[in-house]
Amino acid sequence: MDRIDQDLLSIQEARILVENAREAQTSLAAFPQEKLDKIVGAMAAEVLEYARDLAVMSYEETGFGKWQDKYLKNVFASDYLFKKIRDMNVVGIIAEDEVNKTMDIGVPMGVIVALPPSTNPVSTTVYKALIAVKSGNAIVFSPHPRAKKTINKTLEILIRTAEANGLPSGAIGYLRTVTVPGTVEMMNHKDTALILVTGVPKMVAAAHSSGKPVIYGGPGNGPAFIERTADIKQAVTDIIASRTFDNGIISASEQSIVVEECIAGEVRQELRNNGACFLSEGESEELSKFFLCPDGNINPEIVGKSAVEIAEKIGMRVPEETKVLISEQKYVSDTNPYSKEKLCPVLAFYVEKDWLNACEKCIELLLNEGRGHTLVIHSRNETVIREFALKKPVSRLLVNTPATLGGIGATTNLFPAMTLGCGTAGGGFTSDNVSPMNLINIRKVGYGVRALEDITQDVREASPDLKALLEKLLEQLAAR
């Protein structure tokens, strides 16, 4: 009975949240960009003051990753993001071509339902709230149950600050009673315009079944290919730094290394020099039992844990300075956990004869899981880089950079985002690093600059029969 009562309470709360957001959206949609920017700036500045405390709170509540790295992500999602979007024109007249007599008008989509993950609860929540308000949209959240306290605290800070600076009450809201039926009710509500899901795979099917547009930042399974011309020392440094950032819980981070046979020995040694521990076949087999739960989902007991902690699960003692565990693999399959996303500092290691075979291995890995997400290549051969860019089923190809930081736009000039679209290949409708521009409709305005006679003049001169037909059509149009 308690369970039923909680579900009913959550459903009713969800309806009220969306309806309040719809009412707030009515006035919010009329806000000029300058007014929205003032609110967003205040939100970013205020939550930045709490970035460290929220990072610690997030780690203590979830047990995932490292609070120090979460602190950096929180700064990235508030201060760095705001500086990037501060001068963007998103609503109102956003483009005007005086020569061709056209205009683009940015129009808010409406009420957005957002599902943030437990792995990046603060940074993703802040990021979604900022880009929603920047684009004039109301947004309501269904906090992840495992990070509920942290997400609620983050939203309380954002809501308090935003409303003090002019945001209509209800434009940002969140479920207090979080249940699956309540979340589904929010997504299915007639006034919901868009669903923004990041790292909550269990809710993706429900999101799509709502019939609403869905932007989904899905699971990553990005290989890192080290080609023979690469700076091997730098490539390994980047991969280790990326894979250990927040103990590997960002979906853009490398999940496997693919190397050409001619440099495999050098890469192995460089990995060992940088804190990697290669597992034996038996150790790999034992560890593989811990990656997945019986239902096929990732085991939360290894998510965001350090390499040393993970090794202990199979009774394996490794040096305290061990940063990543590496398992040499040959095959890719749906039943092989090493060829899937692993939200911890564990890497698969594949050796291929040449870059053509490595190319096929990368495609095989991506099609197994993570299609539409991210791939990394370390190379100085621009021809190979371009071949990878042309042929890989990903939305982001990162070149000579750590995947974790490159994918989210920290070490690259991609848009700074905590939701990385996977396109239609990954079950969404955009492959962008999601920005405020993905949260608007663009109304096209075109002034008349020519008559129908102008369009048909050349054709009429070329074809007497067509000339007679077009003249008859023009007469019919004039008679209406």
Side-chain angles (χ1 to χ4, degrees), residues 360-377:
E360 293 304 313
K361 181 63 72 177
C362 290
I363 291 175
E364 195 178 354
L365 284 161
L366 290 162
L367 293 181
N368 187 53
E369 186 177 64
R371 68 178 68 200
H373 209 290
T374 303
L375 169 71
V376 192
I377 181 170

Side-chain angles (χ1 to χ4, degrees), residues 380-448:
R380 293 167 172 154
N381 187 327
E382 193 62 31
T383 299
V384 173
I385 292 169
R386 289 176 183 271
E387 283 295 313
F388 267 65
L390 288 168
K391 295 181 179 179
K392 296 300 171 292
V394 293
S395 299
R396 277 156 295 280
L397 177 73
L398 307 174
V399 183
N400 299 327
T401 190
T404 295
L405 301 175
I408 65 173
T411 59
T412 64
N413 283 325
L414 300 179
F415 182 81
M418 299 305 294
T419 297
L420 309 182
C422 294
T424 54
F429 71 81
T430 181
S431 58
D432 292 344
N433 280 24
V434 178
S435 80
M437 300 305 293
N438 296 107
L439 307 183
I440 59 169
N441 293 309
I442 297 178
R443 180 180 299 140
K444 296 290 185 177
V445 178
Y447 289 76

